[in-house]
Amino acid sequence: MTKCWAIARQDLSNGREGMFTFEWERSTDIIKRSAFGGPVLGVPEEVAAQETGKAYFQRVHPDDRDRLLTLVHSLTPEHSTYRTIYRVFCPMGRVLTVEESGRARFDAQGQWVGLTGVAVDITQRRRLEEELEESRAVLQRQLTEIETIYRSAPIGLNVLDPDLRFVRINERLAEMNGFSVEEHLGRTVRELLPDLADPAERLLLPIFETGEPLLNVEIRGETPAQPGVPRIWLEHFLPLKEGDRVVGISTVCEEITERKRTEQMLAERVAQQAAIAHLGQQALVSDDLDQFLARVTAQVAKVLKVEYCKVLELLPDSKELLLRSGVGWQLGLVGQAVVGSDRTSQAGYTLLSQEPVIVENLATETRFSGPPLLTDHGVVSGMSTPIRGSEHQPFGVLGVHSRSQRRFTENDVNFLLAIANILSATIARHRTEQEIRQVNASLERRVEERTQQLVDANQELEAFAYSVSHDLRAPLRAIEGFARIFQEDYGDRLDETGKEYAQMLINSASRLDALIQDLLAYSRLGRRDVQLVPVSVAAVIDSAIETLDPALRQRQPQVSVVPLPSVLAQRNVLQQVLTNLIANAIKFVDPDQPPTIRIWAEERDPFIRLWIEDNGIGIAPVYQERIFRPFERLHGVEAYPGTGIGLAIVQRGIERMGGSVGVESDGKSGSQFWIELLKAPDPGTE
Ligand code: ADP
């Protein structure tokens, strides 16, 4: 202790940068300081060398004063040394932190008389210590945060050493793996999770070489947490480096089994919906049922990812079901193979239960046994549903089967039901169409037969009418001829009445002849084929006027014709039509009035309407339809001679040429007859 003080005294004279020694006399209250006291305390050297204790004490930081005072007063001869740290104000507002070690001096009576000590400026050190403390606290806080994240993160985290030993692992990952955090620590992936060891080593060991992270790796496997359940993880492996050396791997792991399952389910659902939409559309346009069934079974097998799909058709006797269509079955079976329809077969059971039936394992199935068709093909799982048919009998069964065990979902069942509905609607449509086709065919046959009978009857009638009319003319001409001879040769021997009778005989015979001729013309029109060619209407009108009855020509009719186009017609028929119309236009005019006829054309695409207007007696509207029928006449022969066939010939002739005919008249002042025929493509040519 004495030695220590000796050094202190020596320092008092020498001093050292950043520290100084001091002595304080209680009696004088003077503090003497060694060299460097001034620079340390920031006061002039002479102040530092000799300062009153009271003045110095005033510069001590108020927060430290009491402690310092208590400390100094607690010193006794037995406990005379002290060591403390306090702060002192220096000029310019600087605060100095001083570490002071000292000892109290006592007199013989044990009264203390002064202090001797060393003061060291530890401001810098103190600040560094504080900074250190602060950064330690920050670090600690960050560490705690990281720990918390590690512990509570909803994703799995771990750190592996180069032997792939678990150095750290969070609860989440430990739980995923099926072991506690403690059970993991210190053990390797291979020891704990042998199922995952191979892929883990293959992926991770190279990272120790390359130092490159490995991101977004999908790992599939099982863990002891859920044995037998295939699971999927998405993992990121990040190298932990010390300098350039990889000392571990930090793994971030997220289980995506559920997400993947949902994604897959969604994809399956979409594929099923697409198939339903597609087949639904095909169902509307398919005209070959077998082709459609083949397409359906192929599509269903593909969408459900099964080896077999089939449509069984319940045969009329209801005892067996025929393999009507399908995929996967051995060659030659489709269209041939049959299965029993009693409840001991899956198909029979399905028909009976009238709802979908699912089989997980045919070998352990107790509700029914697998028919040879299924067992021969190594079927394990399957699903079937009835296909609705008529009211009395279902059509059959739609089924799918797989060779490996398969758990069909509710979506799968709904898909199969939707397809069965499409099938049943399509089958119903095909059956109805077939029935309609059969009914149509028999109807067509009957119509053809009836038409033929009618044609035959008509032809017979026409032939009969023709030959009768023809045969009638010969004796008629004889009657007329002999009547004339009789009149000429025996006229002078007859009285007036006899002469009149002879004349009436001649008139009647010639009227009858005209009638027969008209009838023949009318009948001929119905029998001959009509050939349509472009015909110039103007030319035909000229010929018609030329061939008019002399009696009519005698009336000197005025005929005005505006330029007329060409029409599609058969010339001789058109000429007969126009002759009849012009003859009537002259004939049915009051005898004291000169007949005036106006002819013009009106375009009514694709037809030409030809108007023949007269200044005659007109036709009351009530008769305008009737006059076109054979033998319909509105006047007596005496007033207006005629047979009543003329307009019937007009109508038949025009209709045979694809046209139409009509009349307009107020019944008083003239008539306007019209005929309509197709316009000729090249006007003016014949
Ligand atoms: P027919 O001229 O030999 O009597 P139609 O068949 O040509 O026979 O005519 C039938 C009837 O229609 C005529 O009897 C007549 O009463 C009426 N008729 C035809 N054309 C005219 C006409 N231009 N004006 C008035 N009446 C007509």
Side-chain angles (χ1 to χ4, degrees):
M1 187 67 73
T2 323
K3 194 178 166 199
C4 163
W5 286 110
I7 294 164
R9 272 168 204 280
Q10 192 187 347
D11 285 346
L12 196 61
S13 53
N14 299 330
R16 246 182 27 218
E17 200 175 348
M19 68 176 282
F20 59 89
T21 56
F22 67 88
E23 263 187 32
W24 175 61
E25 285 302 325
R26 189 180 184 186
S27 57
T28 59
D29 191 28
I30 295 291
I31 305 169
K32 289 184 181 162
R33 296 188 179 93
S34 67
F36 292 108
V40 169
L41 293 171
V43 294
E45 200 65 62
E46 54 277 18
V47 175
Q50 206 155 358
E51 189 182 15
T52 65
K54 196 175 170 194
Y56 181 59
F57 195 65
Q58 283 305 311
R59 290 201 287 121
V60 169
H61 195 288
D63 290 353
D64 296 343
R65 271 183 213 157
D66 287 352
R67 188 170 47 81
L68 196 60
L69 212 59
T70 313
L71 176 74
V72 171
H73 284 290
S74 72
L75 297 173
T76 61
E78 290 77 31
H79 299 286
S80 59
T81 59
Y82 69 91
R83 187 187 178 88
T84 186
I85 292 171
Y86 61 91
R87 286 160 295 172
V88 181
F89 287 111
C90 300
M92 314 285 285
R94 192 164 66 90
V95 179
L96 185 73
T97 306
V98 175
E99 184 179 328
E100 192 177 296
S101 309
R103 181 180 182 178
R105 283 175 279 117
F106 296 88
D107 62 9
Q109 283 73 47
Q111 288 293 315
W112 65 278
V113 292
L115 291 172
T116 308
V118 184
V120 182
D121 173 4
I122 61 162
T123 312
Q124 185 79 0
R125 196 184 87 203
R126 200 48 200 255
R127 212 182 56 239
L128 287 174
E129 274 174 7
E130 274 170 12
E131 278 175 12
L132 202 68
E133 190 54 40
E134 204 172 305
S135 60
R136 226 184 252 134
V138 170
L139 257 176
Q140 187 56 46
R141 209 168 49 241
Q142 287 175 345
L143 215 69
T144 314
E145 280 170 12
I146 291 170
E147 272 299 324
T148 312
I149 292 170
Y150 217 84
R151 263 204 313 281
S152 59
I155 48 170
L157 299 165
N158 75 11
V159 175
L160 296 167
D161 73 4
D163 297 327
L164 302 192
R165 211 175 280 284
F166 289 96
V167 177
R168 270 190 103 119
I169 183 158
N170 74 346
E171 288 282 351
R172 177 88 180 105
L173 186 53
E175 192 188 312
M176 279 192 222
N177 290 344
F179 294 102
S180 70
V181 169
E182 290 69 32
E183 280 170 324
H184 277 86
L185 299 179
R187 295 169 78 181
T188 62
V189 173
R190 186 165 287 284
E191 285 165 354
L192 222 57
L193 309 164
D195 199 51
L196 297 178
D198 281 345
E201 283 174 7
R202 200 176 58 247
L203 290 168
L204 302 191
L205 294 179
I207 296 178
F208 288 97
E209 305 296 322
T210 62
E212 292 296 324
L214 195 60
L215 304 174
N216 295 313
V217 183
E218 244 181 64
I219 294 196
R220 289 159 190 265
E222 291 176 16
T223 63
Q226 284 175 288
V229 178
R231 299 165 70 186
I232 312 167
W233 297 271
L234 183 68
E235 306 208 8
H236 313 284
F237 304 105
L238 309 156
L240 293 175
K241 292 184 184 173
E242 269 180 21
D244 283 343
R245 208 161 58 88
V246 180
V247 294
I249 290 173
S250 170
T251 309
V252 179
C253 163
E254 189 186 353
E255 174 148 18
I256 54 168
T257 315
E258 204 48 39
R259 196 213 297 172
K260 280 271 166 188
R261 221 165 56 94
T262 315
E263 274 173 14
Q264 194 188 339
M265 257 172 58
L266 213 70
E268 282 171 6
R269 193 81 195 271
V270 169
Q272 290 176 357
Q273 296 295 339
I276 290 169
H278 177 69
L279 291 175
Q281 224 164 22
Q282 294 285 314
L284 294 176
V285 294
S286 79
D287 44 16
D288 182 332
L289 184 59
D290 280 303
Q291 218 174 49
F292 180 67
L293 293 180
R295 190 173 288 175
V296 168
T297 49
Q299 183 90 3
V300 169
K302 192 172 148 201
V303 169
L304 286 175
K305 299 191 184 78
V306 290
E307 291 91 341
Y308 309 106
C309 179
K310 62 176 164 45
V311 169
L312 295 173
E313 181 182 358
L314 189 59
L315 294 174
D317 62 3
S318 294
K319 290 202 180 100
E320 284 177 322
L321 291 137
L322 169 74
L323 178 57
R324 170 84 185 256
S325 188
V327 284
W329 311 101
Q330 279 161 22
L331 219 64
L333 289 183
V334 172
Q336 295 295 325
V338 286
V339 296
S341 67
D342 56 302
R343 60 168 304 139
T344 57
S345 77
Q346 181 176 346
Y349 186 87
T350 309
L351 281 179
L352 219 75
S353 56
Q354 297 189 357
E355 55 184 31
V357 173
I358 297 177
V359 179
E360 262 188 42
N361 190 342
L362 199 61
T364 57
E365 181 58 61
T366 53
R367 294 171 291 180
F368 40 79
S369 63
L373 181 70
L374 299 186
T375 49
D376 289 355
H377 285 82
V379 162
V380 177
S381 301
M383 174 168 69
S384 50
T385 190
I387 303 169
R388 278 194 325 273
S390 66
E391 258 174 58
H392 322 289
Q393 182 165 320
F395 175 81
V397 173
L398 169 68
V400 289
H401 306 277
S402 66
R403 291 169 70 93
S404 54
Q405 187 143 358
R406 171 78 184 267
R407 200 172 282 164
F408 292 101
T409 64
E410 205 181 315
N411 280 344
D412 298 338
V413 175
N414 287 337
F415 171 62
L416 201 70
L417 276 172
I419 297 292
N421 282 340
I422 290 175
L423 283 179
S424 122
T426 316
I427 290 160
R429 178 172 70 80
H430 275 271
R431 281 182 170 170
T432 314
E433 276 177 7
Q434 200 175 351
E435 277 165 22
I436 290 173
R437 266 199 298 275
Q438 277 167 359
V439 170
N440 273 350
S442 90
L443 258 179
E444 260 170 43
R445 227 180 14 255
R446 276 166 57 192
V447 167
E448 258 171 40
E449 282 168 13
R450 289 278 154 84
T451 313
Q452 194 51 50
Q453 283 168 2
L454 270 174
V455 168
D456 291 349
N458 238 355
Q459 273 177 357
E460 264 172 42
L461 206 68
E462 296 263 4
F464 176 72
Y466 183 79
S467 61
V468 165
S469 321
H470 204 263
D471 293 350
L472 278 177
R473 285 194 75 197
L476 189 62
R477 252 190 254 113
I479 292 172
E480 193 192 348
F482 280 109
R484 281 190 199 285
I485 295 168
F486 180 68
Q487 196 184 37
E488 282 166 18
D489 294 356
Y490 297 92
D492 48 357
R493 279 183 254 170
L494 292 174
D495 59 9
E496 277 313 300
T497 313
K499 280 181 193 159
E500 202 179 312
Y501 286 171
Q503 187 55 45
M504 277 168 74
L505 198 62
I506 291 165
N507 287 351
S508 293
S510 68
R511 235 193 0 263
L512 187 58
D513 189 47
L515 186 65
I516 290 171
Q517 277 196 61
D518 280 353
L519 264 177
L520 272 173
Y522 182 71
S523 161
R524 232 181 267 124
L525 266 181
R527 283 150 59 83
R528 288 213 191 116
D529 272 347
V530 171
Q531 304 286 332
L532 299 185
V533 291
V535 176
S536 157
V537 179
V540 175
I541 287 175
D542 286 347
S543 312
I545 292 171
E546 269 172 35
T547 55
L548 272 178
D549 193 277
L552 295 173
R553 293 174 66 174
Q554 254 177 23
R555 296 198 59 183
Q556 296 177 334
Q558 300 264 311
V559 183
S560 72
V561 181
V562 295
L564 295 169
S566 290
V567 294
L568 283 181
Q570 180 165 313
R571 191 189 163 115
N572 59 347
V573 176
L574 182 61
Q575 186 171 328
Q576 178 149 29
V577 164
L578 287 171
T579 307
N580 290 2
L581 289 174
I582 293 169
N584 283 350
I586 300 169
K587 188 163 65 174
F588 295 103
V589 178
D590 275 338
D592 51 348
Q593 216 175 354
T596 309
I597 302 169
R598 207 161 68 87
I599 301 175
W600 76 96
E602 183 189 337
E603 182 130 6
R604 290 192 167 211
D605 205 31
F607 295 98
I608 293 289
R609 182 175 278 199
L610 213 60
W611 290 92
I612 296 105
E613 186 191 67
D614 61 43
N615 60 337
I617 56 173
I619 304 154
V622 282
Y623 302 122
Q624 287 174 4
E625 222 183 283
R626 263 172 54 184
I627 52 171
F628 288 96
R629 295 182 208 144
F631 307 119
E632 287 287 349
R633 308 199 73 242
L634 304 180
H635 312 92
V637 184
E638 292 73 26
Y640 298 101
T643 59
I645 303 286
L647 286 181
I649 289 177
V650 168
Q651 187 172 43
R652 185 178 262 195
I654 289 293
E655 282 176 359
R656 293 290 328 256
M657 294 189 292
S660 51
V661 61
V663 64
E664 285 178 10
S665 170
D666 57 5
K668 287 175 225 139
S669 50
S671 316
Q672 293 181 337
F673 278 82
W674 58 262
I675 56 170
E676 216 169 76
L677 285 170
L678 279 171
K679 188 181 171 190
D682 184 13
T685 57
E686 234 179 273

